[in-house]
Amino acid sequence: MLKPTRRALKKKADKLWAEIVKSVGRCLKCGSRDKQLQAAHIISRRFTNTRHDIRNGLCLCAACHRWAHDYPTAFGRFAESLRGRETIEQLEKQSKFLTKPDYEAVIAELMALKSSMI
């Protein structure tokens, strides 16, 4: 059997991360239980060290996710009010390190987290 590509593993990790973040079941900004719930990153997902960190995710409806991108300063204050300044600072520091993630380990951690939530 062929080993999955890094791209496939990254996609699987992204999907698991989003499922866990959206399991809140409502928008954390407006409270909507709309079917259009999305997983939003506080620190951009382009930073690999924080991309799959659950603390870096907020469940938002599509409209509030659009707001987050349109008003990043306000979104930053909002995220800080939910996660706390210390957590945001930890995520910011963590995001600065450029490493190549072990996606198999990331997936294992996310699967364990997901199963512990059930």
Side-chain angles (χ1 to χ4, degrees), residues 31-80:
S32 171
R33 294 187 181 277
D34 180 304
K35 290 181 184 177
Q36 289 288 325
L37 293 177
Q38 301 175 356
H41 287 85
I42 298 168
I43 306 293
S44 175
R45 67 185 187 158
R46 71 185 166 136
F47 296 101
T48 57
N49 280 356
T50 51
R51 183 180 182 120
H52 299 106
D53 189 319
I54 294 302
R55 300 172 306 159
N56 190 34
L58 297 177
C59 183
L60 299 175
C61 68
C64 290
H65 197 174
R66 177 78 264 150
W67 166 83
H69 285 278
D70 290 345
Y71 300 95
T73 304
F75 175 66
R77 287 191 300 267
F78 170 72
E80 188 176 307

Side-chain angles (χ1 to χ4, degrees), residues 2-16 52 103-104 107:
L2 292 173
K3 185 176 176 179
T5 64
R6 281 189 59 77
R7 175 183 267 176
L9 291 170
K10 180 179 177 181
K11 188 175 180 176
K12 184 173 181 174
D14 285 345
K15 186 176 184 211
L16 279 167
H52 299 106
Y103 287 119
E104 290 174 336
I107 289 167

